[in-house]
Amino acid sequence: MSTLAPFTAHNGFALPAIGLGTYRLNGEAGAAAVAAGIDLGYRLIDTAFNYENEGAVGAGITASGVERSQITVTTKLPGRHHGGDRARTSIEESRFRLGVDATDLHLIHWPNPSHDRYSEAWRALIEAQQRGIVRQIGVSNFLPEHLDRIEADGGVRPVVNQIEVHPYFPQTDAVALHAERGILTVAWSPLGRGRELLAEPVIVEIAAAHTITPAQAVLAWHTARGVVSIPKASSAEHQQANLDAASFALDDAEVEAITALGRADGRLFDGDPATHEEM
């Protein structure tokens, strides 16, 4: 395990630099992958209602044998459940599927602004936290105007905003805004989901200089920027390599060189939270 200090939010809530993403880790194989990751040292496990694997993640946590209090499990409220009563039930169902007394970190998955119920969903998360069935609450894919609104409406600032971040889409302004407000940035698809990125000459060169893999160089870039990353990996080899990346330090010039790979069209798909709807 890395000895890197965890990243801390405005209320003292802390996350390790690297967690385990579980998208498409389902069934018995998914549960085994989660258990193996925890045994290797992962203490942040990320899932979502829409991944349809909360049961597998919960089974993996139980099978690992690691004390439950040492593990932070994140899940997410889907867009179709933003309404108050539906949100309340969805939060409870996630807890039951995971087999936990409380979810450690519960996020709104997407704001879905055209439906305009994300503020209602935020109030449902606040209520669940007050009831003790959710420990910490946050959001995913929120833009600054969405963050402003939920804090104004609910009086509670999220501890996390999980957003798309990778070298082709570095989100410099969002990362800076979150840091200013004490909101942790968590990067989904931190490796860009593609081989093209890992073949970029600047990344290959930096990796070679540190005797690490290009993927590790990208994860070290996230860590240097104060961003938590949650790469998905099913094999023990890849899980270990990703976890080890938190122990590699890049210098400022290397961080800037990787950030310079950013593109205006760098998103992986048409996932602009101002218009994208995911129910």
Side-chain angles (χ1 to χ4, degrees), residues 153-253:
D153 288 354
V156 176
R157 178 174 294 179
V159 295
V160 158
N161 190 11
Q162 186 180 126
I163 58 176
E164 178 182 357
V165 185
H166 47 78
Y168 286 155
F169 197 61
Q171 295 257 48
T172 301
D173 290 344
V175 171
L177 176 68
H178 296 162
E180 179 183 324
R181 298 186 181 184
I183 299 170
L184 297 177
T185 302
V186 178
W188 57 259
S189 292
L191 299 176
R193 288 188 193 158
R195 302 189 181 204
E196 178 188 0
L197 174 65
L198 300 182
E200 285 284 353
V202 65
I203 292 176
V204 172
E205 181 180 339
I206 290 170
H210 291 269
T211 321
I212 59 179
T213 69
Q216 288 176 319
V218 173
L219 294 176
W221 169 79
H222 285 289
T223 300
R225 301 175 78 223
V227 173
V228 176
S229 54
I230 46 170
K232 185 195 78 173
S234 56
S235 74
E237 179 183 2
H238 287 155
Q239 287 180 350
Q240 186 67 65
N242 291 343
L243 196 61
D244 289 346
S247 64
F248 300 116
L250 305 186
D251 63 33
D252 291 345

Side-chain angles (χ1 to χ4, degrees), residues 83-203:
D85 289 340
R86 297 193 74 182
R88 187 174 302 109
T89 300
S90 181
I91 293 163
E92 293 168 351
E93 287 289 346
S94 285
R95 179 170 71 96
F96 297 148
R97 287 186 174 93
L98 286 162
V100 297
D101 60 341
T103 51
D104 300 303
L105 177 60
H106 219 115
L107 314 179
I108 299 174
H109 206 156
W110 286 84
N112 295 341
S114 72
H115 292 265
D116 197 27
R117 303 195 78 173
Y118 64 89
S119 192
E120 188 176 352
W122 184 240
R123 289 193 294 272
L125 281 177
I126 293 171
E127 189 260 349
Q129 186 178 40
Q130 292 170 343
R131 290 169 56 200
I133 64 170
V134 172
R135 294 192 173 93
Q136 300 288 338
I137 56 177
V139 295
S140 183
N141 302 298
F142 272 44
L143 297 174
E145 58 265 33
H146 304 142
L147 295 172
D148 291 343
R149 180 177 173 188
I150 61 170
E151 185 171 352
D153 288 354
V156 176
R157 178 174 294 179
V159 295
V160 158
N161 190 11
Q162 186 180 126
I163 58 176
E164 178 182 357
V165 185
H166 47 78
Y168 286 155
F169 197 61
Q171 295 257 48
T172 301
D173 290 344
V175 171
L177 176 68
H178 296 162
E180 179 183 324
R181 298 186 181 184
I183 299 170
L184 297 177
T185 302
V186 178
W188 57 259
S189 292
L191 299 176
R193 288 188 193 158
R195 302 189 181 204
E196 178 188 0
L197 174 65
L198 300 182
E200 285 284 353
V202 65
I203 292 176

Side-chain angles (χ1 to χ4, degrees), residues 7-46:
F7 298 140
T8 305
H10 58 83
N11 66 350
F13 175 65
L15 289 177
I18 296 181
L20 180 64
T22 68
Y23 180 61
R24 294 185 177 172
L25 297 183
N26 299 77
E28 291 186 4
V34 169
I38 294 171
D39 289 342
L40 287 173
Y42 284 91
R43 293 298 179 263
L44 170 62
I45 311 297
D46 183 86

Side-chain angles (χ1 to χ4, degrees), residues 251-272:
D251 63 33
D252 291 345
E254 291 169 328
V255 172
E256 291 172 7
I258 294 177
T259 304
L261 293 171
R263 304 171 174 177
D265 62 347
R267 292 188 187 276
L268 295 175
F269 65 98
D270 187 21
D272 183 347

